[in-house]
Amino acid sequence: MPEIRKDPVFGRWVIIASERGLRPNDFRGAPGDHVCPFCPGNEDLTPPVIYSLPGPAGGWRLRVVRNKYPALVSEGAVDNRRDGIYDSMDGMGIHEVVIETPEHGRVLEEMPADAVADVVKTFMLRIREIKKDPRIKYVMVFKNHGRNAGATLQHPHSQIIAMPMAPLRVKQEIDGAAEYHLERGTCVFCDIVKEEAQFRKRVVAENDDFLAVTPYASRFSFETWILPKEHASHFETMPEDRAGALAEVLKTTLGKLSASLSDLSYNLIVHTMPVKEAESEHYHWHIEIMPKLTHVAGFEWGTGFYINAVSPEEAAEILNAGKTYKV
Amino acid sequence: MPEIRKDPVFGRWVIIASERGLRPNDFRGAPGDHVCPFCPGNEDLTPPVIYSLPGPAGGWRLRVVRNKYPALVSEGAVDNRRDGIYDSMDGMGIHEVVIETPEHGRVLEEMPADAVADVVKTFMLRIREIKKDPRIKYVMVFKNHGRNAGATLQHPHSQIIAMPMAPLRVKQEIDGAAEYHLERGTCVFCDIVKEEAQFRKRVVAENDDFLAVTPYASRFSFETWILPKEHASHFETMPEDRAGALAEVLKTTLGKLSASLSDLSYNLIVHTMPVKEAESEHYHWHIEIMPKLTHVAGFEWGTGFYINAVSPEEAAEILNAGKTYKV
């Protein structure tokens, strides 16, 4: 069983999960060496299906399964254990995989808008289901696309990890937003939407409901955030009919990123409120997309500072002009 | 000039430095395509020397130069500027490169102990020199070795970046240590030394003055920390005669890591107190070495949690047995 350990200095949690080392990797060995566990016909290679949407001819168009090499597992207690001067607990949680399409080589931005909206609705549905478990405090939805972003399988998929505590970074982000709200009486994300919609030098995509921007303090070259224009803390309670609008902005954003950046690798993360917490005036869910063009190095690890060689204004200009950027 | 921008939610700083994008990269193009700016005979390819140690036959055995593609530059003010709802400041600071040896292909662990001790003493000397500038609050020493660790040049080198504020992660680490001290009345790092020296399942190297261990909550497989046994907050004020003992443990540690991990890439970071702060009972300088075997992915970025497939006990066992670990 995985174990969660706490760093005694920093308070950060680490999951020690030896099973993860066993997972297959499309990016090692010769191409074509591997059988894809996410392709139709190979359903017996994944754990049983949790949720699926029917496709044409009796097949499926989307499947959710438990991760076969989970970082966290559903058994186990949520009590702290002492281990000398250290703290640990069972690696309790949920780890699911959303197989976004039956087509192995089809990337998200090339899928029909309806199919992307299905992926969004599936994320929301799974969070609403998972948060019924009283032990679960946070549900994180994320997608690693491409080798440099840490993906081990090429077939389009996302992951959902539910855990028994709100992670440090999530707390820090919410605390930061709360502090801004205390000082100025407004939601920082609402202010970002207002500022960016007016300044217009960092806008990458927009419709009535969402705004995609390269953020002012982008950590990574071509980093892009998608923000709902209407204030809301929880992603999973978004009105279902807005999934189409989000899918549209997501498709445009990823389409621009992959047009300008060859062999695009990215991490996409849904930033949302811990599931047990009430709506708040200061926190506003959003999606962060971080293209991985270079490796994060010692300076970033040591400081939490980032060095970015492409300003967000330059990045937005390149993306909107459809220019190619050479790393 | 580089610009430092502040994220309005998180409070984290980002350096926007377009010049960085221009730096050469040994890892792109054909091998042998590049002229190494750090090799003897190519001294005109680097900015003028700041400090050097004489080698045999009139040459040098170590050189310190200003970084040609700096993240921060010495001109500029340290005042905040408002930019709509955002904050920014000039990218003021110092960015130096320590060229550790004239030999292009010689890695640190293969250098004579005396030469490694010279590298350590140079770090200390440069920090003591740089901290005379009243604008400088923090000096970070780090080394990126290998492509996966973000290195762009192969010739053995380290970097020193001095900046006008103590970075967020440094503050968080010091705050965490202060909290531990408040609760238990002891230094957490002194307690780690005591605990690990007794438990002995995570010790990788040791001598009278230093202990190298795979930390209890290792974020990365084979992560290793080197801790001085005697309590001290500031690396740069270490008694000079201890540089040899540190070099010895560093050589042993890196030697074991490179024996077990093929094509080793790592980040090495000196964690030390902000230069203007007094010695403290709760903070203890140390070195963190983070081998890069896999890519950091969305889950880590979103949560600040890490998933590690090799427990530190297992890692120490593999390193001490000289076994090979296959990723």
Side-chain angles (χ1 to χ4, degrees), chain B residues 125-200:
Chain B
L125 183 88
R126 289 308 307 150
I127 301 179
R128 292 197 305 262
E129 194 56 36
I130 291 168
K131 76 178 183 183
K132 292 177 187 162
D133 183 332
R135 299 172 303 173
I136 296 301
K137 300 276 191 337
Y138 197 77
V139 189
M140 157 128 322
V141 174
F142 64 99
K143 178 177 168 70
N144 301 328
H145 175 82
R147 177 184 201 149
N148 286 336
T152 49
L153 293 175
Q154 288 178 301
H155 194 119
H157 68 284
S158 312
Q159 297 178 66
I160 299 175
I161 299 192
M163 58 202 102
M165 71 277 281
L168 197 59
R169 282 186 76 85
V170 170
K171 277 192 208 147
Q172 286 167 350
E173 186 178 273
I174 295 170
D175 288 351
E179 208 174 302
Y180 186 100
H181 190 266
L182 202 67
E183 272 175 32
R184 315 204 196 184
T186 50
C187 161
V188 60
F189 298 98
C190 290
D191 282 1
I192 291 173
V193 168
K194 235 183 284 170
E195 178 93 7
E196 298 300 335
Q198 198 178 348
F199 182 62
R200 299 218 73 80

Side-chain angles (χ1 to χ4, degrees), chain A residues 15 86 196 292 298 301 306, chain B residues 15 86 144 196 292 301 306:
Chain A
I15 300 172
Y86 303 116
E196 298 301 336
K292 289 299 161 64
W301 287 117
Y306 290 83
Chain B
I15 300 172
Y86 304 116
N144 301 328
E196 298 300 335
K292 289 300 160 61
W301 288 116
Y306 290 83

Side-chain angles (χ1 to χ4, degrees), chain A residues 5-6 17 33 41 44 48 50 62 89 107 110 116-117 122 153 161 169 171 181 183 200 208 232 242 291 303 312 315:
Chain A
R5 294 183 175 190
K6 191 179 192 174
D33 236 19
D44 58 320
I50 292 167
L62 177 153
M89 58 196 287
V107 291
E110 294 168 353
V116 177
T122 301
L153 293 175
I161 300 193
R169 282 185 77 85
K171 277 192 210 149
H181 190 266
E183 273 175 31
R200 299 219 73 79
D208 286 350
R242 229 161 274 174
T303 57

Side-chain angles (χ1 to χ4, degrees), chain A residues 5 9 12 14-15 17 82 86 88 144 169 172 176 184 196 216 218 267 292 298 301 304 306 308 313, chain B residues 5 9 12 14-15 17 82 86 88 144 169 172 176 184 196 216 218 267 292 298 301 304 306 308 313:
Chain A
R5 294 183 175 190
V9 188
R12 75 187 149 222
V14 168
I15 300 172
R82 288 307 276 185
Y86 303 116
S88 72
N144 301 328
R169 282 185 77 85
Q172 286 167 350
R184 317 206 193 183
E196 298 301 336
Y216 176 75
S218 294
N267 300 118
K292 289 299 161 64
W301 287 117
Y306 290 83
N308 179 353
E313 299 78 36
Chain B
R5 295 183 175 190
V9 188
R12 75 187 149 221
V14 168
I15 300 172
R82 287 309 276 184
Y86 304 116
S88 72
N144 301 328
R169 282 186 76 85
Q172 286 167 350
R184 315 204 196 184
E196 298 300 335
Y216 176 75
S218 295
N267 300 117
K292 289 300 160 61
W301 288 116
Y306 290 83
N308 180 353
E313 298 78 34

Side-chain angles (χ1 to χ4, degrees), chain A residues 258-288:
Chain A
S258 78
S260 290
L261 306 171
S262 65
D263 195 22
L264 175 66
S265 280
Y266 65 85
N267 300 118
L268 178 156
I269 300 163
V270 178
H271 286 240
T272 181
M273 199 75 173
V275 290
K276 297 276 190 289
E277 287 188 36
E279 269 299 298
S280 98
E281 280 184 13
H282 61 264
Y283 191 74
H284 190 126
W285 77 266
H286 60 285
I287 291 174
E288 301 189 4

Side-chain angles (χ1 to χ4, degrees), chain A residues 8-62:
Chain A
V9 188
F10 228 94
R12 75 187 149 222
W13 296 95
V14 168
I15 300 172
I16 308 283
S18 312
E19 297 85 356
R20 298 282 293 161
L22 305 172
R23 65 198 197 278
N25 192 326
D26 277 352
F27 298 103
R28 275 180 229 134
D33 236 19
H34 306 278
V35 173
C36 176
F38 296 163
C39 274
N42 299 339
E43 288 81 0
D44 58 320
L45 295 179
T46 61
V49 68
I50 292 167
Y51 176 75
S52 77
L53 290 172
W60 50 270
R61 63 178 201 272
L62 177 153

Side-chain angles (χ1 to χ4, degrees), chain B residues 14 27 29 43 46 71 122 133 138 141 150 176 184 193 224-225 247 250 294 296 313 323:
Chain B
V14 168
F27 299 103
E43 287 81 0
T46 60
T122 301
D133 183 332
Y138 197 77
V141 174
R184 315 204 196 184
V193 168
T224 308
W225 293 4
L250 195 52
T294 53
V296 171
E313 298 78 34
K323 282 190 247 174

